[in-house]
Amino acid sequence: MVTHVAARSTHASTLLFVSLAALGGGISMWAAFPFTSIWWLSYIGMMLLMWSVFRRALWLTLWASFLWGSAFMVPLTSWAHISIGWVGPWMALAGIQIAFMMCWAIGAAVASRISLMQHWLVWSLFASVTFAGMEQLRGRYPFGGFPWGYLAYSQVDAPLGNLAHYIGEAPLSFLTAFIGACAAGLFSARHRGAQLLMQSAYGCLALLVATLPVLVPPTSTTDSTNQKVPHLRVAIIQGNVDRPVEQTYATPMKVLDNHIHETLSAFDTDPDIDLFLWGEQASDIDYRNDEAVMKKLADLGRQVHKPIVFGSVQVLDNDAGKRVRHNDLSVLLPDGTINPVYTKRFPVAFGEYIPMRDFLGKYFSDVKRIPTDMEAGKDIAPVIDVAGTQLAAGICFEVAIDSLIGEGIDNGGTFIVVPTNNSSFGFSAQSQQQLDIARFRARTYGRSIIQVSTNGVSALVGPDGRIIEKTPLFTNDSIIADVPTITHTTVGGRLSAPAGTVCAYATLAGWLIIIVMVFVARRNTPRRYHKGRKK
């Protein structure tokens, strides 16, 4: 009886400690991202997660990973609720990410019980690689994925971020997870004899991996301070979306007029501007369907005599006869003509379109809040040609699609432009989270990057990821700067997207191998018969 009570007490205390560790780890990971951006908390977050799943029972692993994922992803994506005004998309986005984390945790926990993996360093390598691979998988599936909250993005201001230029996204996520795993090794067993020495070595390894990159220069080639590189004088125009946002968009051409006014103000300040950039849906009325909008834009083009890249939304019938929206970028030329150049290729599920609309509509009337689905652009390279200068482009959340940005660079993009519209996210952390992803892309590809928002935050980021200048939220403002048009290719830029793909499918292969190993081990385990059972 005493033994059973003691066992129950031990199980209860284990459950309590693991639950607290998982919750603390998830909160720490959330705090590593904006608003707070305390990057070193990402190591603590991963340390607590690794400790919570190593050699745990499967039910406890599921519980711990659910708590960790919830404490991380639910607050990180809370802006989804602000944007749509419906809790469904928020919970759907966060829930899918949490499900991936739970799948990873099960694989990591099972692997920790295989004899080959019971050495902490071997298991740490496996768990870290598969965590980075799991990130890449959830960034691709389902419905095109949602690559938000990757470990690598939390490192943009960390010493580890210096390696982005050389190794790219998935390898940097791996190193971040590995630091946490090594730190968890400090608590992996009792402190005695040789084990104490080994645990101390794990801690030293974590410290070395985390701090040594401070000695690595963040860029290896030409940056914005090198005057030998051609520069383009760019005006980043934030016309603003006045609050309340819904009322402003209900007033036709209000947002467009704000951008026209700010453009003319910037032009009066500096007539030598080579290119004007506006945000996503800065033309709140589609110029193709409204002569008054077309005339305003044409007059503006002739007045400033320089090209203007701007965003607008087109509603049309697709090839199947379905009413859809296209999220477009167009170039207003100095002669007043307009050329559409790019259509967003990765709309966000539950935010810009409703997957399985007919099925979900039977149970959730709120799907009507997005009455017309956004359709992805097809066969369009994410690059804009402006007077012979190539710009790599990604609209809003597309900055988080590494392969898309890489494709723009491969097609000759000399700097990166991210038009966005953050007005529906209010004063949440979404815009700053997106800017940190943009900064990571700058560091990876060695390119300046411009986040231009209709309402903020807009920013100019140097090739080293440093914010040169940025604007506050919900103000009319502009930034005028000389942007280097860089043509070299970084090692990280070449490796990043392929490494992500390899990591994703290596993770699937690793999980499959574990399943086979467990199955074979169980088949080869002799059955035990108690005496007297056989008759």
Side-chain angles (χ1 to χ4, degrees), residues 267-480:
F267 179 70
D268 289 342
T269 301
D270 188 346
D272 295 325
I273 293 169
D274 298 312
L275 172 66
F276 294 87
L277 297 174
W278 293 5
E280 176 188 23
Q281 205 178 343
S283 177
D284 50 337
I285 304 294
D286 182 19
Y287 64 90
R288 285 157 288 210
N289 297 324
D290 193 298
E291 290 184 5
V293 171
M294 187 70 187
K295 184 177 185 307
K296 280 191 174 190
L297 288 170
D299 290 345
L300 177 66
R302 286 188 285 266
Q303 190 167 351
V304 300
H305 309 298
K306 294 294 164 58
I308 301 172
V309 177
F310 68 96
S312 62
V313 172
Q314 181 184 21
V315 178
L316 70 163
D317 293 328
N318 64 11
D319 295 339
K322 179 184 176 182
R323 201 71 170 163
V324 296
R325 292 178 296 147
H326 282 179
N327 193 346
D328 295 337
L329 289 181
S330 301
V331 178
L332 171 61
L333 298 173
D335 63 1
T337 59
I338 300 176
N339 292 332
V341 291
Y342 179 68
T343 299
K344 187 174 186 179
R345 287 166 44 180
F346 291 92
V348 178
F350 300 106
E352 293 173 319
Y353 76 99
I354 302 293
M356 303 182 297
R357 176 181 288 273
D358 293 339
F359 172 76
L360 293 175
K362 296 176 182 178
Y363 305 98
F364 303 102
S365 60
D366 283 317
V367 299
K368 296 177 182 177
R369 291 175 181 267
I370 304 176
T372 306
D373 287 333
M374 185 172 290
E375 184 180 64
K378 299 175 183 177
D379 302 322
I380 305 171
V383 65
I384 303 171
D385 186 326
V386 180
T389 300
Q390 309 297 316
L391 317 179
I395 299 177
C396 195
F397 288 93
E398 287 187 324
V399 70
I401 310 294
D402 190 22
S403 59
L404 183 93
I405 301 300
E407 186 181 342
I409 299 298
D410 291 342
N411 277 272
T414 56
F415 61 91
I416 305 165
V417 178
V418 183
T420 185
N421 181 1
N422 311 105
S423 59
S424 62
F425 299 115
F427 288 94
S428 72
Q430 189 276 339
S431 187
Q432 191 61 50
Q433 289 172 6
Q434 185 175 309
L435 180 57
D436 272 10
I437 298 173
R439 294 175 61 203
F440 186 83
R441 295 285 175 253
R443 300 193 80 166
T444 300
Y445 289 97
R447 295 287 195 277
S448 292
I449 191 165
I450 294 172
Q451 177 169 296
V452 51
S453 173
T454 54
N455 66 290
V457 172
S458 299
L460 171 62
V461 177
D464 58 357
R466 179 174 52 91
I467 297 175
I468 297 171
E469 189 174 351
K470 73 174 184 176
T471 65
L473 285 165
F474 291 105
T475 58
N476 60 298
D477 207 343
S478 61
I479 298 171
I480 301 173

Side-chain angles (χ1 to χ4, degrees), residues 25-42:
I27 293 169
S28 297
M29 187 58 68
W30 165 75
F33 291 83
F35 283 120
T36 51
S37 298
I38 308 172
W39 54 264
W40 52 267
L41 284 177
S42 61

Side-chain angles (χ1 to χ4, degrees), residues 1-12:
M1 181 65 178
V2 174
T3 303
H4 289 309
V5 171
R8 283 198 297 270
S9 176
T10 301
H11 290 324

